Amino acid sequence: MSPNDLRAKIRVGEITGPTAGMAKGYTQANLAILKKEHAFDFLLFCQRNPKSCPLVDVTEIGSYTPSLIGNEADIRTDIPKYRIYKDGVFTDEVTDIKEYWEDDMVAFLIGCSFTFETPLLEAGIPIRHIEEECNVPMYKTNIACEKAGVFEGSTVVSMRPMSHKDAIRAIQITSRFPGVHGAPIHIGDPSQIGISNIEKPDFGDAVTIKEGEVPVFWACGVTPQAVAMQSKPSIMITHAPGCMFISDLKDEKLSVL
């Protein structure tokens, strides 16, 4: 199914859950929406934290069309679920944000690790959350982001368990995709990056880690949600974890090889 067809189904509520595995070959994106007063600070935050927040598009002020990656899309309706944060507090989860949209808002579309899952699968590397039909597990860490203006906080990571052999191959493959988080930022002992219980993710769902496997962690585009809770802008709208914007941009356009 094409990205446009999938977005049409999302728009009318036929798809309301995680988008992992959908529209293979097309880039998926995280979302952060802020008012104009905070937009420059957040743009600078993304520039200073490219592993967590690699930008693939930024809308014009007041525009809800991400014209570079989805010219016929409406960012207010074309994501399965959104989260609303007011003054750093999570207040609601909704399936469209028309009632929250304001004419001075700017939408930031941030590269998503779902993009590099297709080449991982093509290399024969299993992706556990796809196998178990659930959301990817995500964790807050003790890895501080570079501060920019009002925005500061800790990096959030996504985790995929792999054999040692597959983990090495995954490093090689994902290094080709710096625009969607690139190579892992940590492999192995979760406690070294501040994760006390690997079986209890902060976002998403726990997955099975089999004997002989190692957890592999990538910087994650859910980082802005952790930052919003700490930085407390008056309003920040994000995607619900795992519920991404499916763009018209081909994965290969973000590959450096």
Side-chain angles (χ1 to χ4, degrees):
M1 195 175 295
S2 73
N4 202 37
D5 289 341
L6 283 167
R7 293 196 300 263
K9 286 183 174 291
I10 291 168
R11 199 173 300 140
V12 298
E14 290 185 25
I15 297 172
T16 59
T19 54
M22 296 183 184
K24 290 182 179 178
Y26 288 90
T27 296
Q28 297 196 29
N30 303 275
L31 174 71
I33 296 173
L34 292 151
K35 292 171 71 67
K36 177 185 175 182
E37 64 184 304
H38 295 306
F40 176 78
D41 281 358
F42 190 72
L43 184 66
L44 187 60
F45 178 83
C46 293
Q47 191 270 334
R48 290 179 176 174
N49 297 278
K51 289 287 284 186
S52 300
C53 303
L55 287 172
V56 292
D57 199 359
V58 181
T59 64
E60 299 285 345
I61 297 169
S63 172
Y64 41 80
T65 301
S67 57
L68 293 181
I69 62 171
N71 195 41
E72 298 180 10
D74 186 333
I75 208 64
R76 304 172 302 173
T77 59
D78 292 2
I79 286 177
K81 287 180 183 175
Y82 302 81
R83 285 191 167 185
I84 313 298
Y85 293 86
K86 292 185 176 180
D87 298 314
V89 178
F90 169 50
T91 60
D92 204 1
E93 188 169 273
V94 296
T95 55
D96 78 69
I97 55 167
K98 285 185 175 180
E99 68 176 279
Y100 292 99
W101 184 263
E102 299 180 41
D103 290 339
D104 65 345
M105 284 183 160
V106 179
F108 296 83
L109 284 303
I110 297 166
C112 170
S113 58
F114 287 174
T115 299
F116 60 57
E117 290 181 345
T118 297
L120 289 176
L121 289 167
E122 289 174 347
I125 299 173
I127 305 296
R128 191 62 37 77
H129 63 271
I130 293 179
E131 290 180 339
E132 297 184 351
E133 297 183 343
C134 63
N135 201 353
V136 63
M138 292 160 275
Y139 307 83
K140 297 176 184 176
T141 72
N142 58 12
I143 303 170
C145 296
E146 291 291 333
K147 187 177 185 297
V150 300
F151 294 103
E152 61 182 318
S154 298
T155 301
V156 174
V157 292
S158 61
M159 189 278 291
R160 294 158 184 80
M162 297 177 181
S163 68
H164 288 80
K165 179 181 177 181
D166 284 346
I168 292 169
R169 183 67 180 130
I171 293 170
Q172 295 171 326
I173 292 170
T174 58
S175 295
R176 295 167 40 212
F177 294 92
V180 286
H181 306 302
I185 62 172
H186 184 70
I187 297 175
D189 185 358
S191 67
Q192 292 186 358
I193 55 172
I195 299 170
S196 59
N197 189 345
I198 196 72
E199 296 180 357
K200 292 186 177 180
D202 296 294
F203 307 95
D205 302 308
V207 296
T208 305
I209 302 177
K210 299 178 181 179
E211 186 175 350
E213 290 185 329
V214 61
V216 185
F217 300 92
W218 279 265
C220 178
V222 172
T223 297
Q225 298 186 28
V227 167
M229 287 183 260
Q230 182 165 332
S231 305
K232 300 179 173 56
S234 57
I235 186 168
M236 185 180 210
I237 302 172
T238 73
H239 65 292
C243 298
M244 305 297 170
F245 175 75
I246 299 172
S247 80
D248 296 332
L249 182 66
K250 287 287 191 77
D251 292 347
E252 61 198 40
K253 295 290 187 181
L254 295 176
S255 174
V256 296
L257 295 174

